Amino acid sequence: MNSNESAVSRSLPSDWLLLGMIVLIPFMTPPVLRPVIAADLLFTVLAVTFAVEALLGLRRLRWLGEFGALAAYACGLAPSLLASSDIDRSLFKYATEIYLILLAGLTAIMVDSQLKLHRALLAWLAATALVCLVAAISLVAFVTGPSWILDYTGNGFGSLPPGDYPRLALTFWGANMACNYLNVSLGLAIVAHQLGVISRTPYSLLLAGIVLAALSTISAGLGGLALLAGVWIWIKNRRGRPAFAFATLTFGLAVAAFFIIALAVTPFAYSNAPTLVRLPGGVTLYAAGHILTWSAALSQFLEHPLIGIGIGIEPIRIALSFPGERNVLTDAHNIFLSIGAQCGVVGLAGLAVLLWFVIRRTPWSAALRGEHLPLFVLGATFLDVFVYQGLGGSFEDTRHVWALLGLFIAAARLDLSRAGENNRRADAPSSG
């Protein structure tokens, strides 16, 4: 390590606080009352510590060009405050958006060397391993009998038919968010292995744990998991084993498409479920609850197209009685419709700038040549969890997605090609 990298890699208190916060991100439901999330409290300490270090000259404050995309997103959301019917609520919601943007920005600034990126990856994957352990213990408890841990990790069936099977939210507030996090962890595990941060054995064990934990959520996010895995295996094998690579990519795309269709169509009736089609054999397909939330949010957007109804204001309110429970849905269950209804085309324009930045900085062509694979996986993972999974869920406010964006910005500024190339030579026979 040269003197310049040594200078930026020395550990300050805020560096360790950042790692602690990364570990705490998935633990959203502590086993006690949950008025606050531990990661949010630690972020406050992190921000104050970072500011003190900057004032003391221990850390360089600098504007990164990539922050322009974050600023565009923040500016796109702001005009909706003018349309709000509850300004206090909207101001609070906008403050949480600024918090998430700062989370991405601080991560991008602080991860300024490969060593710090490696530490961040290890912290994330250590937390993921704990989540996977919680999933395994919960599944064993389901088989062996009632347990307090199932009260902690369990999730309602939602639109799924109730039955004698587990559906877990793990350490999150909901199963869909848990699966979304595990998608990110899959991408970061691939990156860590490519960079040589973790060896083959822990990598394989971690992949198995991620798949097991994700399956326990019974979430549409499983489509994103299959999509990301299919793209990665295709990238890694398209030259050496083209038939295998094509088959896995096709399978990943098919699974991803299946789950999108499953979000729109269901064979299970519920209150005010529009009938779509009656199939031979007495099977009837109904419009799933997502169709109702999407159409309601779209109508709201068309009525208030410019700046929406106000950030933080519930865009819809639909009462549904699913087979296992009764819910009142106030969320669009779609990132684009959620932002469109609340913030209008101005908010969507800010979102478009952010997504265009990620698309432009993801090295698509280089990845096809087998180059810059870690950065490619980071960009593809963000697009998977934010765009693809955003079609069926409002994940724009999830902390792990913004932390991932910060890592992507940081990685885009680091030279990861040498580490990635060394590891590719060592791992040449592998399918990833």
Side-chain angles (χ1 to χ4, degrees), residues 86-102:
D86 187 341
I87 190 62
D88 290 339
R89 185 174 185 176
S90 291
L91 284 172
F92 176 79
K93 178 64 175 180
Y94 188 70
T96 65
E97 297 293 340
I98 297 301
Y99 156 52
L100 294 171
I101 292 170
L102 288 175

Side-chain angles (χ1 to χ4, degrees), residues 214-271:
L215 288 173
S216 75
T217 67
I218 315 180
S219 164
L222 291 169
L225 204 73
L227 179 61
L228 183 60
V231 169
W232 172 243
I233 295 174
W234 175 69
I235 287 288
K236 286 284 289 181
N237 294 274
R238 57 189 295 270
R239 293 182 178 179
R241 293 190 287 173
F244 171 72
F246 179 77
T248 54
L249 177 62
T250 302
F251 177 77
L253 292 171
V255 173
F258 167 80
F259 277 101
I260 291 297
I261 295 172
L263 289 174
V265 179
T266 177
F268 309 112
Y270 59 91
S271 67

Side-chain angles (χ1 to χ4, degrees), residues 76 301 304-308 339-340 343-350:
F301 168 68
H304 307 87
L306 185 58
I307 58 174
I339 293 177
C343 304
V345 293
V346 176
L348 289 174

